Amino acid sequence: MTAPGEQGTAAPPTDYRLLLPEGWFRVHIDPEHRERSVDALVSRQFEGVDNAPHLKRQLRESLLAQAAAAFHDGGIELYLSVQKAGLFTIPASLLVTLLPPSGGGRSTVQETVARLSAEPELEVSVAELSSGPAVRIRRSTGQPDLPAPPGAPGSPDQALPSVTVDYQLPIPGAGTSLLLTFSTPLVQIAEAMVQLFDAVAASLVWVGGDGAHE
């Protein structure tokens, strides 16, 4: 991840570091590596299963569409949970997006929280992270922001309720923000999943730039 700096400000970080739980798979969403990455995930999910070509093809098509949509929307990284609980995959996703610079005056984290708090369906707060203050937005929706990760119950085209947590982290000296979008259809254990999302967001550190971690 790189972001342009602004003249007269501290040098922005050149990258970031993020810790994810064991059992999360990075899907490369850029067109050059997308198919190879999706094929690796499908092979992992169907390891030892030779009699489900239709399901494998269905999952592959769904993942390719998901990766293409994430790339089209400005995503730079996509992670899917393939962590197992017995025979069941714990479905969750993380999309990392570099937000474009906003026009006009730059809003502070507190100003953004105040503006978004007017939306009754959103739970908005300031999160104090080691990477700096961030806007935290939690919402529940009738369908996931992204197609259900591999192993989620229901057919690939079935709309599922979901819990989503966004983190908008201002990039120091860059005039833009990094957006982390976590989502899961496991509304029955939403609180436990949200605690996991919060822990992952809290692990982010900036790399490079002035005073950032190396």
Side-chain angles (χ1 to χ4, degrees):
M1 183 278 301
T2 57
E6 293 184 343
Q7 190 173 14
T9 65
T14 57
D15 209 338
Y16 59 88
R17 197 161 55 232
L18 193 64
L19 299 179
L20 284 121
E22 186 177 352
W24 283 61
F25 187 95
R26 180 183 177 185
V27 178
H28 293 270
I29 61 178
D30 59 286
E32 183 178 356
H33 302 99
R34 185 182 301 156
E35 290 198 19
R36 188 185 315 161
S37 182
V38 165
D39 287 343
L41 177 53
V42 172
S43 296
R44 173 172 172 166
Q45 288 301 98
F46 283 88
E47 186 176 2
V49 179
D50 298 321
N51 59 348
H54 175 67
L55 292 177
K56 290 178 69 174
R57 183 171 61 254
Q58 198 174 52
L59 176 60
R60 184 178 188 273
E61 291 174 354
S62 175
L63 289 172
L64 284 173
Q66 181 174 349
F71 184 79
H72 180 267
D73 290 341
I76 53 178
E77 289 192 302
L78 173 63
Y79 296 89
L80 298 177
S81 168
V82 291
Q83 187 175 5
K84 296 282 188 179
L87 298 176
F88 180 63
T89 300
I90 302 174
S93 61
L94 165 61
L95 177 63
V96 183
T97 306
L98 182 63
L99 297 178
S102 57
R106 190 187 314 171
S107 298
T108 66
V109 166
Q110 290 76 12
E111 289 170 343
T112 301
V113 167
R115 174 172 51 82
L116 294 176
S117 294
E119 301 292 335
E121 70 276 11
L122 303 180
E123 180 184 309
V124 188
S125 60
V126 176
E128 297 292 345
L129 306 178
S130 58
S131 55
V135 180
R136 181 184 184 274
I137 307 164
R138 175 175 171 172
R139 64 189 185 276
S140 298
T141 58
Q143 62 183 25
D145 288 356
L146 298 171
S155 68
D157 298 325
Q158 180 181 355
L160 297 171
S162 70
V163 175
T164 299
V165 182
D166 290 334
Y167 272 91
Q168 294 182 23
L169 295 85
I171 302 173
T176 186
S177 296
L178 196 69
L179 175 64
L180 309 181
T181 299
F182 298 89
S183 188
T184 180
L186 292 180
V187 294
Q188 301 88 341
I189 56 170
E191 296 309 315
M193 296 301 294
V194 168
Q195 287 181 21
L196 173 63
F197 298 161
D198 288 341
V200 173
S203 75
L204 187 142
V205 293
W206 303 116
V207 177
D210 293 347
H213 294 76
E214 294 292 348

